[in-house]
């Protein structure tokens, strides 16, 4: 896998790009990472058994609340843009709530410019040039709004303290709780309490990745009510207890690790 940084103007909105090529079949367990993605398959698309479907050659991957065993039959070549939790909507002119727990075809949102970008990427022979095409398009779409700024502050708060109450987040955003939940869902793609679960889970993975092995300490650091609450939430989002996951693979938090 190769990681590419977006150009400087895009870094507040696009976390990174990655490119993967593989001729070998594989199956990989993936978890909710809290960040939407745009995916271009120049080879065979991935199959997701939990959804009983293959990704489109041009896929928009939304916020999810379940683990998935993604499968490749080989001849894989994919280019992926990974966004911050609250920013993808400005680039595709579609609220992320429209593809909650879904992998939708980018062609289904009927965005002419985005379809043209997909066509150019599929016709381009060089990965770095593909990233430049994406960079140029995404930069042209930067359009910040009050709600994006509000929810961006909320995401920062939740990453620092995932147990922050919705009322507190709403007050900081100068919105009523009802307004805030609607704006958050439209911007991020899921409700704030559900996103907080993802943030707690990803923070737990990050602590485990750094070598913390006290479940009580992880529970306290991530805002779980107790160790049992931590283990239950962890299993719901990964399909494993923390102990069994460490036997299955090395813990890795995408949300709290920036590979770029």
């Amino acid at each position: 896998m190769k990681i590419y940084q977006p150009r400087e103007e895009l870094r507040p909105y696009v976390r990174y790009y990655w490119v993967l090529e593989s001729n070998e079949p594989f199956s990989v367990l993936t978890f909710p990472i809290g960040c939407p993605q745009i995916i271009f398959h120049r080879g065979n698309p991935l199959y997701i058994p939990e959804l009983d479907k293959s990704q489109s050659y041009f896929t928009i991957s939304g916020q999810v609340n379940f683990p998935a065993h993604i499968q490749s039959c080989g001849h894989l070549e994919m280019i992926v843009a990974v966004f911050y939790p609250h920013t993808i909507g400005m680039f595709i002119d579609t609220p992320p709530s429209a593809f909650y727990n879904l992998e939708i075809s980018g062609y289904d949102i009927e965005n002419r410019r985005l379809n043209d970008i997909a066509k150019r990427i599929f016709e381009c022979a060089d990965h770095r040039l593909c990233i430049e095409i994406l960079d140029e398009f995404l930069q042209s779409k930067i359009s910040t709004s009050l709600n994006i700024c509000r929810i961006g502050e909320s995401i920062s708060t939740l990453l620092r303290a995932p147990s922050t109450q919705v009322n507190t987040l709403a007050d900081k955003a100068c919105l009523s709780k009802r307004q805030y939940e609607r704006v958050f869902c439209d911007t991020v793609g899921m409700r704030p309490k559900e996103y907080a679960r993802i943030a707690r889970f990803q923070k737990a993975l990050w602590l485990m990745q750094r070598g913390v092995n006290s479940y009580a300490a992880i529970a306290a650091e991530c805002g779980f009510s107790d160790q049992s609450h931590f283990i239950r939430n962890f299993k719901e989002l990964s399909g494993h207890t923390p102990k069994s996951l460490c036997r299955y693979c090395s813990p890795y938090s995408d949300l709290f690790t920036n590979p770029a």
Side-chain angles (χ1 to χ4, degrees):
M1 179 188 292
K2 291 184 179 178
I3 304 293
Y4 296 87
Q5 279 195 333
R7 60 183 62 177
E8 188 172 350
E9 298 88 344
L10 281 167
R11 290 176 193 171
Y13 314 105
V14 180
R15 293 186 63 205
Y16 58 92
Y17 307 109
W18 58 271
V19 176
L20 177 63
E21 293 181 275
S22 175
N23 289 319
E24 299 298 323
F26 63 80
S27 177
V28 175
L29 175 62
T30 62
F31 315 123
I33 69 169
C35 296
Q37 302 171 77
I38 296 180
I39 303 167
F40 303 90
H41 283 290
R42 290 152 54 97
N44 293 329
L46 296 169
Y47 175 69
I48 303 171
E50 285 77 6
L51 297 176
D52 192 24
K53 66 179 294 186
S54 293
Q55 292 179 332
S56 167
Y57 283 94
F58 170 28
T59 289
I60 298 174
S61 181
Q63 298 282 6
V64 300
N65 62 6
F66 59 88
H69 296 79
I70 60 173
Q71 299 174 3
S72 169
C73 63
H75 306 292
L76 180 74
E77 184 184 355
M78 56 194 297
I79 298 170
V80 181
V82 181
F83 297 85
Y84 284 97
H86 59 295
T87 59
I88 193 173
M90 79 164 74
F91 298 110
I92 63 175
D93 304 320
T94 300
S97 54
F99 42 94
Y100 167 66
N101 270 350
L102 295 174
E103 304 271 335
I104 68 168
S105 170
Y107 299 114
D108 288 346
I109 64 174
E110 298 180 346
N111 184 313
R112 272 191 185 180
R113 286 193 65 197
L114 202 51
N115 290 351
D116 179 61
I117 293 303
K119 182 174 184 291
R120 291 175 62 192
I121 286 174
F122 292 138
E123 291 174 350
C124 180
D126 183 86
H127 290 153
R128 191 172 291 278
L129 289 178
C130 290
I131 299 300
E132 289 179 8
I133 290 168
L134 259 178
D135 251 1
E136 183 180 350
F137 166 73
L138 294 174
Q139 184 177 354
S140 75
K141 294 289 291 180
I142 294 174
S143 177
T144 57
S145 68
L146 178 58
N147 284 340
I148 286 176
C149 293
R150 281 168 165 163
I151 302 306
E153 287 295 321
S154 292
I155 295 297
S156 296
T157 299
L158 286 172
L159 295 185
R160 290 193 306 270
S163 58
T164 304
Q165 296 296 309
V166 175
N167 283 336
T168 302
L169 296 171
D171 288 344
K172 287 184 177 179
C174 300
L175 294 170
S176 70
K177 181 180 178 183
R178 190 170 184 177
Q179 287 175 314
Y180 176 77
E181 288 182 328
R182 176 182 56 78
V183 170
F184 190 101
C185 189
D186 284 347
T187 307
V188 175
M190 57 173 49
R191 294 186 178 278
K193 280 188 177 180
E194 189 171 16
Y195 191 83
R197 289 182 68 232
I198 306 298
R200 281 196 295 268
F201 166 69
Q202 284 285 330
K203 191 167 188 177
L205 282 174
W206 179 66
L207 290 169
M208 293 165 64
Q209 175 184 331
R210 297 175 68 203
V212 179
N213 53 23
S214 166
Y215 296 161
I218 292 172
E221 177 71 18
C222 298
F224 293 101
S225 57
D226 53 37
Q227 185 172 316
S228 296
H229 181 209
F230 159 55
I231 294 173
R232 184 169 63 253
N233 185 81
F234 194 95
K235 189 171 183 179
E236 288 172 355
L237 294 175
S238 71
H240 287 266
T241 65
K243 186 176 182 179
S244 68
L245 181 71
C246 288
R247 289 196 299 261
Y248 182 80
C249 64
S250 297
Y252 177 80
S253 169
D254 187 285
L255 186 59
F256 284 82
T257 306
N258 190 345

